[in-house]
Each structure stands twice: as structure tokens, then as C-alpha cells.
Amino acid sequence: MLDKSEYLHPDKECLSRQEIEKLQVERLQATIRHCMNSPFYKKKFEEMGIKPEDIKTVADVRKLPFTTKQDLRDTYPFGMASVPLEKCVRLHSSSGTTGNPTVILHTQKDIDEWANAVARCLHMVGLRPNDVFQNSSGYGMFTGGLGFQYGAERLGMLTVPAAAGNTLRQIKFIKDFGTTAIHAVPSYVTRIKEVMDQQGVDPRRDTKLKVLAIGAEPHSEEQRKRIEEMMGVKAYNSFGMSEMCGPGVAFECKEQNGLHFWEDYYIVEIVDPETLEPVKDGEIGELVLTTLNREAMPLIRYRTRDLTRVLGRTCPCGRNHIRLDRMKGRSDDMMVLRGVNIFPIQIEKILMQFKELSTNYLITLTTDNDNDNMTVEVELAAGIHLSEVLLQSLAKDITRALKDEILLTPHVKLLTLGTLPQTEGKAVRVKDLRTVYQ
Ligand code: AMP
Ligand code: ZN
């Protein structure tokens, strides 16, 4: 028998598959009804003749139209809202590189539900009101700041809104406040550890850290293991996106066997990005999410562009919320080099297998003499000093391993620690300087 005290929301976390699907159908019908208040969906649903009664099973979600990021841009700023603006209390916006940014609106109920979802994730990995939670993530429009802030407070933890940056001060806070959990992007955790090393701070000896929540950017299982080893604590993958609220969409449980997506909040589909048809469990496809309890701006079949696959629908932790694999990347991140499709995460996975390397790397694509080339710059790990001969031999081994994975021979450059540009937000892993021929 499961011990209910393990769960923050046992009535939702311990639902059977049947109960989850029953709840999803009810909530999807209500969502469709509510979406009729949004000019965007009203038009679409009327054109397609969609009625809430058409939804009898979860699979009926496929009768509904997809929503894309372009739709959010086209209806910028408030054309997607399903409530009058005066009912909204918060706006988040994600910057676009081209065209309008996207706007996500929240009512007070949305903010409360969002905090509940994040609190549930943090509780799932063992955090309790007596923990001290340091949020070393950017605040402001980036949802990793306020999203974790409200969720950690909802759980009742002492919450330190440290934000990203000023790493010396972060380390002082971790020591002085007895911080037990940190949330940060993976690349920033690495930065914190580098500065700890410089300061002679050993996280195992000098801190009370026990949990890291890492997410907001793709990272490999190998990178997670590296982070766990260097910090001496468990690092749990946290997945979210502004369009769905922010963090709290999915999180790993203590089993660390994939991301539990909260299915009382979302309907999860994985589709073939070309045909838009569902793929089989275990096959990689594009993640499509439908919100089930959003008030200000419900989104129907939102194409996230994130690529992943279903791992299972049960878990030894007692939760039957679907488990998905860590993101392979976004379809927009895919590099096509001399006709070969490559994801940055494939390169990261190989680099992390070399103990001599740190987790900081940069992939640069260039055109030289009409040929596309890839250069992989990677910093050596702390304390690694090699002779010229050994450096060359290491670079050769890395090149060979990369070639086996990506079928192309990149130019590998080994750098000393701290040489590559540092970011406090999401890491920039690829610089594409190729000439575009029209
Ligand atoms: P934003 O809305 O700006 O916070 O960006 C959301 C996007 O960040 C997602 O669509 C993913 O591409 C990426 N992302 C967030 N969390 C993760 C994660 N844990 N692993 C991989 N990618 C992530
Ligand atoms: Zn689990």
C-alpha cells in the first residue's frame, strides 16, 4: 500500500490510468466550452463545427485543431485570451528572434494552480517546509524565476530569490542560509561549482545541499550525472515552457526514469512533425500539449517543437502520470550539415564521456571554401593540465568518438577552463556562421 504522506496531492497524484482519463475528458469538455470566449478559438471551432459533446474519450482530442507559436504571434498581444483583460493579473512574454514576441496571460486562479503544480514537483523529490530553497534562475519575463518562487513558497519552504549571477554571493548564501535545494539551468550549476572550486568550497563538506532542480534547457543524461557527481547531490530534470505556464509542467520523481507530465493539467500527445499523426509509444516525435485547467489562455494541441518519446505510464513511485524521455532538443535546434541531421545533445553526450572535459562547450558552424564545417570547442575540467602531446591525443580520441556519433569529422579545440563565454540564462551551445546561399 502506498504511503499517502509521500504525495502532496494524493487525490491527483495517485489516480489510476482510468481515473486520469476520465478527469481529462471532463476537463477537456470544459476547456472547449471556455475557449468559446476566445475570438481565436471561437472562430476555429465554429468553422470546424466542434462541440464539447464531441469529446467522449481522450483520443477525441485529435478532432481539435493544432495551435502553433505563429498563432500566438499573429494574435499578439491579447487575441488568444479567453477572459476579459481585467480578470488577468500577470503577463509573461517570451522573446522571439523574429516578429512579435509571444504573450501568455494568467488569472489569479492560473497563478495559484501554477504554484500548486511546482509545489507538487518539489515535494515529489523530497523537499518539505523545513528546506531552504535558493532560486538561482533569472527572474522577470523568464518563468523560471517567479514560477519556482511561488511554487517553493506554496510548499512552505524558506525561499531565497537569489536570481542568476553574482556567483560569489550565491555561494555565500548557500553556506550562510543553509540552502538545501537550488534551482538553476544546468550550465549555471556548473558555473557555481567552478567558483566553489576557486574558493576552496566543497559542496559535500561545506553546504547542506541535497537536491538540485535543473532544467529550462536541453541537457544529456551524461551531463546530469556529471552535475550530480561534482555537487554530491541528486539533480532532477525540470521541464516547462511559458506557453503552458512555465516550470511545473513535468518533473522527474526520485526514480529518475523520465519526466512525469501532470496529466490532470495537460493532455500529452507525441506526433510525427511531418504528418502530424500520433507516433507509437517509444518512438520520437513532437510533443503536443493541451491545457486542461487554464483560465486566461487555454491552449489546444499546442505544438511545442520539443522532441521526445513516451517511456511509460506507470512508475514504481506510485504515480501513473505519463513518463516522457528527456528532450532530445527542439526541431528548430537540429543542425543540417552536409545533409546530415545533428542535434547538439548528441555532441554533448559524447563530450561528457571524457572525464578530462568540463561541461562547457560551444559548437560553431562555418562555411570554408564552399564546405560546411563544424568546430567543437570544449573546456578542460578543473585541475586537468596536459602536455601538448597528451592534448593532441585527447583531441584525436574526442574527434573519433564524435565522428562515430554524428558521421562527420568536426574540428575539436581543447580550451582551458573559463575561456568560453559564460551565460547566466539558458546556455548558447551553437553558433551558426554559415553563409546562406539564396
Ligand atoms: P521558455 O518558454 O522560454 O521557458 O522555453 C521553453 C523551452 O525550453 C521548451 O519548449 C524546451 O525547448 C526548453 N526546455 C525547458 N525545460 C527543458 C528541459 N528540462 N529539458 C530540455 N529542454 C527544456
Ligand atoms: Zn515516478
Side-chain angles (χ1 to χ4, degrees), residues 206-241:
D206 304 323
T207 77
K208 293 189 175 153
L209 283 175
K210 62 177 196 198
V211 163
L212 297 174
I214 53 172
E217 65 186 19
H219 54 288
S220 56
E221 181 64 25
E222 287 74 10
Q223 169 152 204
R224 181 252 287 284
K225 287 203 183 108
R226 280 291 195 93
I227 289 178
E228 290 189 329
E229 272 162 30
M230 67 191 186
M231 296 297 280
V233 293
K234 287 279 177 203
Y236 295 97
N237 190 0
S238 156
F239 176 87
M241 67 177 65

Side-chain angles (χ1 to χ4, degrees), residues 94 142-143 214-219 237-243 259 304 306 327 330 426:
S94 85
F142 176 54
T143 52
I214 53 172
E217 65 186 19
H219 54 288
N237 190 0
S238 156
F239 176 87
M241 67 177 65
S242 339
E243 294 91 323
L259 292 155
T304 66
D306 290 311
M327 301 298 135
R330 298 172 60 82
K426 300 189 187 210

Side-chain angles (χ1 to χ4, degrees), residues 46 119 289 391:
E46 280 177 355
L289 295 172
L391 273 177

